[in-house]
Amino acid sequence: MRKFLICTVTLGLIASCTVEDMDDNVSIQNSDKENFEIFNSLDGAMDSFDIISEKAFEDVQSSSKSFQESCVSVELLVSNQENPLPGFEEYDYYSKMILNYTEEQCQFDDWTGKLEYYVAGVFNQKWKDSTIFKNVRGNDGHMFDGYRVAEQNEALSTETIKVFDVVIDGVITEPNGNSYRYTANRNFAFENRFTSEEVITLQESSSVEGITEAFFMKSESVDGAPLVYKVACFNRYNFLKYPVQGSLDFSSSFGINFNIDFGDGACDKEVILTGDNGESIVFDL
């Protein structure tokens, strides 16, 4: 319970004050929900930038030779010995694609900006890709300036389940101009990848730190309860917006701490938010 000082002033300018108790459960829950929605919108925007990386890989994979034009440059099998790429020391060759959609004649359907994409080990189970975003603005209005690196975890991958470790670091800006430093360490497991039965299991640790406003929040996967996404639940790509299972703990520098439970695997958008006080609210993503 919060204490509120309630004062009344009579015509004779004599103040009379009393202390009254007011239930603050609702205000705490609303504050939790608002901060979760900020975090979730930024996390969703990063999923959109991941899709840009995936499309870039598809373009590289479909290329049969090197080519260059005003907006796109592709080089296949670049010698790492002749042109060393930091972080790719264990690879003899890599491929790269530069997408420069900053000029008027180079507009793309989903985004604008400049993207440098590098990939190696595609066919030998040692996959690694690196994407550098330079003021890339998605069609939802968010902008990202930073990098994303993904590497296949050979020790955990099997013939049917591919596991990738992902690191993200950069500045993401909302359409309203608010900017945040976004960092994340993710571990993805893909089962039945690129099929209608695809299931993604995700464990992650992420943080968002305000640049244009005071804001700092961290999220951490709950042990034994990774996030689960199912293609069968929602349309392709949209499924990345709605985990259907798993749990995340949130903490912040301003005393807001809560848990989000995404459910038991059923195909819905319902989540349960539980605050430090043990009170819970249910809402849809």
Side-chain angles (χ1 to χ4, degrees):
M1 305 289 281
R2 290 180 180 175
K3 302 289 185 180
F4 283 84
L5 187 65
I6 309 298
C7 297
T8 58
V9 181
T10 67
L11 291 175
L13 299 181
I14 299 175
S16 173
C17 299
T18 59
V19 175
E20 295 187 8
D21 291 329
M22 296 190 67
D23 192 339
D24 62 357
N25 286 344
V26 174
S27 62
I28 289 175
Q29 290 170 351
N30 286 340
S31 182
D32 289 349
K33 185 171 181 288
E34 289 169 5
N35 283 285
F36 166 71
E37 287 173 343
I38 291 175
F39 196 103
N40 198 47
S41 68
L42 298 176
D43 221 38
M46 282 311 310
D47 288 334
S48 297
F49 292 121
D50 277 350
I51 292 172
I52 294 174
S53 293
E54 187 170 321
K55 288 181 177 178
F57 165 68
E58 291 172 354
D59 288 342
V60 169
Q61 199 174 33
S62 63
S63 299
S64 58
K65 60 181 180 179
S66 300
F67 69 89
Q68 186 165 0
E69 55 184 46
S70 60
C71 306
V72 181
S73 172
V74 176
E75 292 185 56
L76 305 180
L77 298 179
V78 179
S79 170
N80 201 25
Q81 185 175 2
E82 296 176 9
N83 298 283
L85 184 64
F88 282 66
E89 289 80 8
E90 62 181 298
Y91 299 92
D92 294 327
Y93 297 93
Y94 61 87
S95 298
K96 72 175 181 178
M97 174 183 285
I98 309 298
L99 304 175
N100 189 3
Y101 294 144
T102 57
E103 303 298 329
E104 185 175 347
Q105 72 272 19
C106 298
Q107 298 302 300
F108 195 64
D109 291 340
D110 299 321
W111 61 278
T112 59
K114 184 176 182 181
L115 181 146
E116 299 177 5
Y117 181 81
Y118 304 89
V119 62
V122 175
F123 301 110
N124 61 6
Q125 301 297 307
K126 290 177 61 180
W127 167 293
K128 183 172 185 176
D129 74 78
S130 174
T131 310
I132 300 172
F133 298 85
K134 297 185 177 180
N135 296 317
V136 173
R137 184 182 298 275
N139 59 1
D140 63 353
H142 285 85
M143 186 166 69
F144 184 60
D145 194 350
Y147 69 87
R148 170 193 179 277
V149 177
E151 188 166 16
Q152 184 164 337
N153 190 316
E154 299 175 63
L156 297 180
S157 294
T158 67
E159 196 66 36
T160 56
I161 299 176
K162 305 303 179 185
V163 180
F164 295 87
D165 297 317
V166 177
V167 176
I168 300 171
D169 194 341
V171 174
I172 187 167
T173 302
E174 294 182 305
N176 62 12
N178 289 334
S179 294
Y180 305 88
R181 173 78 181 276
Y182 182 97
T183 60
N185 287 280
R186 295 174 166 179
N187 177 266
F188 285 99
F190 295 86
E191 188 172 1
N192 299 318
R193 197 172 190 193
F194 304 127
T195 73
S196 60
E197 301 301 317
E198 180 175 2
V199 175
I200 297 176
T201 303
L202 167 64
Q203 297 183 73
E204 74 167 13
S205 173
S206 304
S207 71
V208 169
E209 182 176 2
I211 294 176
T212 52
E213 62 177 38
F215 185 90
F216 184 80
M217 182 175 287
K218 287 198 273 188
S219 74
E220 189 86 33
S221 294
V222 174
D223 287 345
L227 301 189
V228 176
Y229 303 79
K230 297 179 180 179
V231 171
C233 290
F234 306 101
N235 293 332
R236 182 67 183 167
Y237 291 134
N238 281 333
F239 81 101
L240 290 170
K241 300 178 182 178
Y242 310 115
V244 295
Q245 189 174 338
S247 183
L248 288 174
D249 283 333
F250 289 80
S251 60
S252 72
S253 59
F254 40 89
I256 292 180
N257 307 295
F258 55 92
N259 171 270
I260 291 286
D261 190 325
F262 292 90
D264 59 3
C267 293
D268 60 44
K269 302 176 184 179
E270 186 177 277
V271 298
I272 301 173
L273 183 153
T274 303
D276 264 354
N277 59 358
E279 298 289 333
S280 296
I281 55 174
V282 180
F283 60 95
D284 284 348
L285 293 174

